[in-house]
């Protein structure tokens, strides 16, 4: 992926730019879905995923994160989308998820799923919709 510029931010999938310690701190202390997640578990999740970071232009500091678990053929699971509290309210979350969607578009995935308790509006802006037929879906594990 070539970098995407959004205002003063650069969105990149370059794994060498990720600040894994920062991502772990955000998710394990401030994300309702990952509270208490161990660093070892987070590092394994990063290693097995396509990762995106958003970086402030002047400092290069990472201010947002998203990852997608995908087979690069039919399916993707968007997860761990997080924007630092100091960078919220600027449309960065929408820009980040748009960059993920656009990066995967040429692959032709049949579907990308996600779960959210509180950010439906962010995802609806770029085309995500509630499942029409939830009775087809099942889960194994914690729900």
């Amino acid at each position: 992926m070539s970098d995407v510029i959004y205002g003063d931010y650069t969105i990149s999938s370059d794994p060498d730019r990720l600040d894994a310690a920062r991502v772990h701190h955000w998710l394990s202390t401030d994300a309702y879905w990952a509270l208490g997640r161990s660093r070892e578990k987070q590092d394994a999740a990063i290693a097995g995923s396509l990762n995106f970071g958003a970086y402030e232009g002047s400092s290069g500091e990472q201010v947002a994160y998203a990852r997608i678990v995908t087979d690069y053929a039919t399916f993707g699971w968007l997860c761990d989308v997080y924007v630092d509290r100091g960078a919220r309210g600027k449309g960065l979350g929408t820009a980040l998820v748009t960059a993920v969607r656009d990066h995967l578009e040429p692959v032709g995935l049949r579907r990308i799923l996600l779960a959210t308790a509180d950010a439906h509006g962010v995802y609806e802006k770029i085309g995500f919709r509630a499942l029409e037929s939830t009775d087809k879906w099942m889960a194994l594990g914690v729900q």
Side-chain angles (χ1 to χ4, degrees):
M1 162 183 164
S2 53
D3 291 349
V4 173
I5 305 300
Y6 176 76
D8 187 37
Y9 301 101
T10 300
I11 299 169
S12 175
S13 61
D14 180 353
D16 293 332
R17 291 189 73 177
L18 281 180
D19 184 340
R22 178 173 288 211
V23 169
H24 172 255
H25 175 75
W26 284 334
L27 297 179
S28 68
T29 65
D30 194 40
Y32 67 84
W33 66 90
L35 292 174
R37 184 183 290 169
S38 72
R39 176 67 191 268
E40 178 180 82
K41 186 72 76 174
Q42 184 60 46
D43 287 348
I46 288 171
S49 302
L50 172 61
N51 301 277
F52 292 79
Y55 306 89
E56 187 180 50
S58 57
S59 69
E61 182 177 310
Q62 186 171 349
V63 295
Y65 174 73
R67 71 182 179 95
I68 188 147
V69 181
T70 183
D71 59 11
Y72 293 96
T74 63
F75 180 78
W77 177 262
L78 177 64
C79 49
D80 289 345
V81 178
Y82 186 91
V83 177
D84 183 85
R85 290 187 175 272
R88 292 182 186 174
K90 303 173 185 175
L92 187 55
T94 301
L96 178 61
V97 175
T98 300
V100 172
R101 180 201 64 195
D102 293 351
H103 177 82
L104 291 168
E105 189 172 24
V107 176
L109 300 180
R110 183 170 181 196
R111 92 179 25 94
I112 299 173
L113 293 179
L114 64 85
T116 184
D118 60 358
H120 295 79
V122 171
Y123 300 107
E124 288 171 346
K125 290 177 188 175
I126 65 159
F128 282 89
R129 299 288 175 256
L131 291 173
E132 291 180 18
S133 181
T134 57
D135 61 326
K136 294 179 185 178
W137 295 92
M138 298 178 73
L140 177 65
V142 178
Q143 293 188 39

